[in-house]
Amino acid sequence: MATKKNKAELQAEQVAALVGAGKAVALETVDFSDPNRPKTCLEVDFPILPINQVAMLEGNAGKPIYQMSKWWARRRSSVFRSLLIAAATKAPEDEQQASKMVWDAYYANHQRRSSFKDIKVADIFMGGGTTLVEGSRLGMQMVGNDLNPVAWLVVKNELSSVKRESVEGLLRAIEDEVKPQIMPFYATTCPRGHKSKWIEKSSGRVMGAEFSPLLLDETERAKYRHEGPEVIYTFWAKHGPCHAPDCGHRTPLLSTHVITVKTLTVKSWASYGCDCGHSFDIEQQPARMAPAAPLVVSSSESSFAVMDDAGGFACPSCGKQYLDHKARVDGESMSLGKAKNKKVDLTLLVHPSWMHGEPDDGVEKFGGSVTDDASSTEAWIKARARSLRFIEVRGALPDEITAPDTGVVFKPQEGNIPKQARFACQEATCGREQAIVESVAASQKSAPASPFVQHCKCPQCDAEGRPYGGRYFVEPDVDVVCASFHEWERRRDADLAGLWPKSEIPFGHMTHQRQPLPQHGYLFWKDMFNSRQLLIHAQLLKAITTLGDFPWEVRESVLGGFQQYLRNQNMFCFWNPQRDTPEPHFSNNNYHPKTTVIENSVFPDLGRGNWASCVEGLVEGIDWCEDPWEMVSHAEIASKNPQFAKELGGKSERARLSDPVLPNANIYCGSSTDLTSIAAGSHDLVITDPPFGGLLHYAELADFFMSGYVWH
């Protein structure tokens, strides 16, 4: 029995019919070996305006295949698809129709009629492989070359014929192997008392409160699985070591007390009138980012009361108690009516006591730099944790706040960085202002860093419908963090030897001139990761390369996901408060060190840039290769059916062309000055995007993924 198509499927079919998506066409080509050949469409005219509409929609990497792995300066795939069609197609006798001929063929299927099967195209600076991918979809014979081995691997994976089932099989094996090993470092307890559970896989028995997976060795951990709250992100703050004589105080390099901001939506009843004459809003649940932190309510906020779990609430003025259990559970009742959505602005601040930093008096041997051992770093992290507290502010952030516990008045928008790239030592008798890079360089180490916030997810809070979807901010569990550092120190030259980079960062413009990494204490590639990150990466790489009986091309494909995870799990990622997520390394094309760094997690079902989301993009790319789509602008739809375009709304639709990426390209890794593998005169077209003369920035950035050929 045929399944009835839904509205979206019917609309997709109508869009495809309007633009001729997937329709088989035959275009006449030219004999490029004939010096007297007729002109091609590209030599006559080009559909700039419609192609520009599509290019603006798809962005630099709109299609999943171009998001499987990181590469720089990706050009719009629509431009290369149309260039290839125009460059290979014989121009019509009426040259004014050349542009229309190319655009009419843009959404067509060119594999079925094999119009371009004899056209040979070379891209000798293939980079991220856009030319090769689009040419293979057109049925052309493609050859690609690039000097950079990272580019070679990226393109090799894009053109691979691996099947989704094989890749998913390896991914399942990786998760089964690695997840039990690393979950003890991400399990936590939420502020509302919901605790992590450890369950014995063989029996289903829930382990008691005395069970500690951190005390188990790696083979024993595999016998248990975790359920409950887990860490999603960990915020690390670098500290400026004062290089004034006889000081050495370590000051947090934060320009403000503000950690993050968020607007939450809660169900509420407005302007409830108490018998005392006071009116206030009733909120069904607490609107909190950090439920364990003291709450400061700004004077800009209107009066409100929050129900407890039983539906109880009190008048903020006289304290009279009320109870409405039905309203708490259902969001409506006879007495209160139906609740409406209400926006609540929140700001999370780090306490001023922590902003003073820590004296390095020599009594304790403080680590914290990337080259320090686990014991000295543990002493440092625990010293910093002693004064760590948060304050949450509801409403507009005032210019001054009084800390609820100490009575200290402070300005939340003023931190320890009075000027760009400079900090003020917070030692009471010093106060010296100094350049960050100079103070760090004088220490001959990287800036010491300590964890100061964890962003977590509690599944039970989420199931209860708590605002913020079960997420919350809390102080880090430093014992767990330190345990991961000790485990890395124990295993790095044992079972994980050879699975992490030991090579130095080579001299380059991007690494030593534009951003002088050695002055920031980064001498080796491994210095760009903390110990827990190295522990995770090494275990993932070991699993990718050794588990099961998988073909090497499947392992290479998963290495593409590993590449994406590397750029999301290092000490160069930073927080984006607008998105409430981290931004990955190379969000800007440089090695700019950050003073506040976001460490990612691995396997949660929430978050940006974790292992789970990186490999999800890999699978989406494989699916697209088998069933590609092209963007169709609503302007194009409107030109053919204005009423239908109006019904659709939005800016674009997707049209499937049934022209999968064919694994028929030959790719090489070598210099474009030595193309002896490609016979002279053997190709019809060279369509490429060459680098500007002497511009090798992307090669230096790509070295991050190479790291001495260890990561790949």
Side-chain angles (χ1 to χ4, degrees):
M1 182 177 178
T3 304
K4 188 176 180 180
K5 295 177 181 178
N6 59 35
K7 183 178 179 181
E9 291 171 330
L10 292 172
Q11 287 180 338
E13 288 184 356
Q14 192 169 350
V15 169
L18 283 173
V19 299
K23 180 181 179 180
V25 298
L27 295 176
E28 186 178 357
T29 60
V30 300
D31 180 2
F32 286 95
S33 64
D34 180 3
N36 298 314
R37 63 169 176 80
K39 291 180 179 180
T40 65
C41 288
L42 185 60
E43 295 168 305
V44 174
D45 200 358
F46 188 74
I48 294 176
L49 291 180
I51 294 299
N52 187 54
Q53 287 179 336
V54 178
M56 290 176 65
L57 290 169
E58 68 180 1
N60 289 330
K63 297 171 182 174
I65 189 173
Y66 301 121
Q67 300 180 55
M68 293 167 64
S69 300
K70 173 65 178 176
W71 192 255
W72 292 265
R74 286 191 181 272
R75 304 310 180 199
R76 310 297 169 94
S77 58
S78 54
V79 174
F80 277 82
R81 177 179 177 85
S82 51
L83 279 173
L84 286 159
I85 294 172
T89 302
K90 178 184 175 182
E93 291 186 9
D94 182 357
E95 293 187 350
Q96 293 184 356
Q97 296 298 310
S99 173
K100 183 178 185 300
M101 175 181 284
V102 173
W103 179 239
D104 287 346
Y106 182 84
Y107 292 105
N109 183 301
H110 298 274
Q111 292 183 19
R112 292 176 184 156
R113 298 285 182 87
S114 303
S115 295
F116 300 134
K117 67 181 179 65
D118 295 324
I119 300 296
K120 297 180 179 180
V121 182
D123 184 347
I124 58 175
F125 302 100
M126 65 183 178
T130 307
T131 306
L132 276 74
V133 169
E134 300 305 323
S136 74
R137 290 177 60 203
L138 296 172
M140 296 175 174
Q141 300 179 45
M142 306 300 296
V143 168
N145 179 79
D146 204 285
L147 180 62
N148 195 294
V150 175
W152 174 85
L153 181 64
V154 166
V155 179
K156 188 174 188 297
N157 284 337
E158 290 172 348
L159 299 173
S160 173
S161 59
V162 297
K163 298 300 181 183
R164 174 181 181 147
E165 295 75 17
S166 298
V167 171
E168 288 183 328
L170 178 54
L171 292 175
R172 283 192 298 270
I174 292 168
E175 183 167 346
D176 290 344
E177 173 72 16
V178 178
K179 189 172 183 177
Q181 307 300 327
I182 59 91
M183 276 312 300
F185 304 120
Y186 294 97
T188 186
T189 298
C190 99
R192 298 185 178 94
H194 304 143
K195 298 181 179 180
S196 290
K197 292 192 297 185
W198 293 95
I199 302 169
E200 189 177 45
K201 293 179 181 178
S202 60
S203 65
R205 178 169 61 102
V206 178
M207 309 306 292
E210 73 285 351
F211 179 79
S212 175
L214 287 172
L215 300 179
L216 303 177
D217 64 25
E218 293 75 47
T219 57
E220 289 296 310
R221 287 180 196 166
K223 299 177 182 178
Y224 304 91
R225 63 181 175 87
H226 169 265
E227 289 183 2
E230 62 181 300
V231 178
I232 308 298
Y233 310 118
T234 302
F235 291 51
W236 291 73
K238 292 181 180 178
H239 290 61
C242 180
H243 64 278
D246 301 321
C247 184
H249 188 89
R250 296 179 170 192
T251 297
L253 297 176
L254 300 181
S255 60
T256 172
H257 292 253
V258 176
I259 298 170
T260 191
V261 296
K262 186 70 179 177
T263 299
L264 298 184
T265 301
V266 294
K267 296 290 185 181
S268 74
W269 295 265
S271 303
Y272 181 79
C274 179
D275 294 340
C276 71
H278 183 68
S279 293
F280 57 95
D281 294 348
I282 305 167
E283 296 174 5
Q284 189 185 34
Q285 296 192 64
R288 297 296 305 273
M289 281 196 295
L295 181 67
V296 173
V297 180
S298 172
S299 59
S300 65
E301 282 291 273
S302 58
S303 184
F304 69 97
V306 181
M307 286 182 171
D308 59 27
D309 289 346
F313 59 96
C315 172
S317 179
C318 70
K320 181 177 179 179
Q321 297 290 322
Y322 294 87
L323 182 67
D324 195 329
H325 182 70
K326 188 177 188 315
R328 171 64 181 83
V329 174
D330 299 334
E332 62 179 318
S333 69
M334 291 292 291
S335 59
L336 293 179
K338 188 173 183 179
K340 295 183 179 180
N341 288 337
K342 176 183 178 180
K343 302 291 186 182
V344 179
D345 295 328
L346 298 167
T347 305
L348 186 63
L349 308 175
V350 67
H351 198 282
S353 61
W354 189 85
M355 291 288 282
H356 289 310
E358 200 74 27
D360 191 0
D361 54 13
V363 176
E364 293 186 85
K365 183 183 178 184
F366 283 157
S369 299
V370 294
T371 52
D372 290 327
D373 59 41
S375 295
S376 63
T377 296
E378 179 178 10
W380 159 248
I381 289 175
K382 290 185 174 180
R384 284 273 61 207
R386 286 194 286 266
S387 61
L388 182 58
R389 297 188 296 281
F390 302 144
I391 300 170
E392 190 167 10
V393 179
R394 173 175 169 142
L397 186 65
D399 293 335
E400 289 188 343
I401 290 178
T402 301
D405 53 346
T406 63
V408 173
V409 178
F410 67 101
K411 296 181 178 181
Q413 295 286 16
E414 294 184 7
N416 300 330
I417 303 179
K419 298 177 183 177
Q420 186 175 7
R422 300 181 69 83
F423 75 97
C425 177
Q426 294 300 297
E427 212 288 322
T429 61
C430 179
R432 176 176 176 177
E433 185 180 310
Q434 52 205 286
I436 294 173
V437 67
E438 290 178 4
S439 71
V440 173
S443 71
Q444 298 183 330
K445 292 183 177 183
S446 67
S450 68
F452 72 110
V453 186
Q454 283 183 340
H455 192 200
C456 308
K457 168 72 180 290
C458 176
Q460 188 169 339
C461 288
D462 188 20
E464 293 173 358
R466 302 282 183 182
Y468 206 20
R471 290 176 286 171
Y472 60 90
F473 290 92
V474 72
E475 292 91 342
D477 186 336
V478 295
D479 289 332
V480 172
V481 175
C482 294
S484 68
F485 279 49
H486 283 286
E487 180 160 324
W488 170 246
E489 194 167 79
R490 175 173 59 83
R491 298 179 62 186
R492 65 187 180 189
D493 294 319
D495 65 307
L496 300 179
L499 295 167
W500 50 280
K502 290 187 175 182
S503 56
E504 291 186 65
I505 300 171
F507 179 86
H509 170 69
M510 299 297 288
T511 55
H512 290 69
Q513 295 176 327
R514 184 172 176 181
Q515 294 293 340
L517 292 179
Q519 292 184 36
H520 291 272
Y522 299 112
L523 303 177
F524 295 80
W525 291 114
K526 64 179 177 60
D527 298 341
M528 296 184 177
F529 308 86
N530 70 29
S531 293
R532 181 160 59 177
Q533 291 171 329
L534 289 169
L535 177 65
I536 292 164
H537 288 319
Q539 290 182 84
L540 286 172
L541 189 59
K542 182 179 181 180
I544 292 169
T545 55
T546 63
L547 286 181
D549 184 22
F550 295 94
W552 186 247
E553 65 177 2
V554 173
R555 300 186 192 277
E556 283 184 330
S557 182
V558 176
L559 280 174
F562 181 75
Q563 184 216 34
Q564 285 287 54
Y565 187 54
L566 281 175
R567 66 185 290 254
N568 284 278
Q569 180 68 300
N570 58 75
M571 296 299 277
F572 283 72
C573 301
F574 57 97
W575 189 249
N576 183 338
Q578 286 73 38
R579 292 189 57 166
D580 206 28
T581 62
E583 292 293 334
H585 187 24
F586 298 136
S587 294
N588 294 314
N589 294 328
N590 56 46
Y591 284 106
H592 178 62
K594 312 299 188 296
T595 55
T596 303
V597 183
I598 309 301
E599 176 190 355
N600 219 315
S601 56
V602 191
F603 293 109
D605 59 359
L606 174 77
R608 183 190 188 200
N610 54 46
W611 171 256
S613 65
C614 288
V615 297
E616 181 183 13
L618 170 66
V619 173
E620 290 174 354
I622 293 172
D623 287 345
W624 186 91
C625 286
E626 296 181 352
D627 186 17
W629 45 258
E630 290 289 334
M631 303 297 290
V632 183
S633 73
H634 276 199
E636 178 67 15
I637 298 172
S639 69
K640 294 176 169 57
N641 190 329
Q643 181 57 38
F644 181 50
K646 187 176 180 180
E647 293 174 7
L648 290 172
K651 294 182 178 180
S652 65
E653 301 294 327
R654 293 176 179 178
R656 300 187 181 279
L657 277 57
S658 301
D659 56 349
V661 177
L662 302 176
N664 60 355
N666 295 315
I667 62 171
Y668 303 96
C669 184
S671 172
S672 59
T673 62
D674 180 17
L675 296 174
T676 54
S677 56
I678 304 175
S682 63
H683 282 66
D684 302 303
L685 298 167
V686 176
I687 296 183
T688 191
D689 178 26
F692 298 108
L695 185 62
L696 302 177
H697 295 178
Y698 300 147
E700 293 182 4
L701 298 177
D703 284 348
F704 172 80
F705 300 115
M706 296 289 293
S707 300
Y709 293 89
V710 173
W711 289 138
H712 281 167

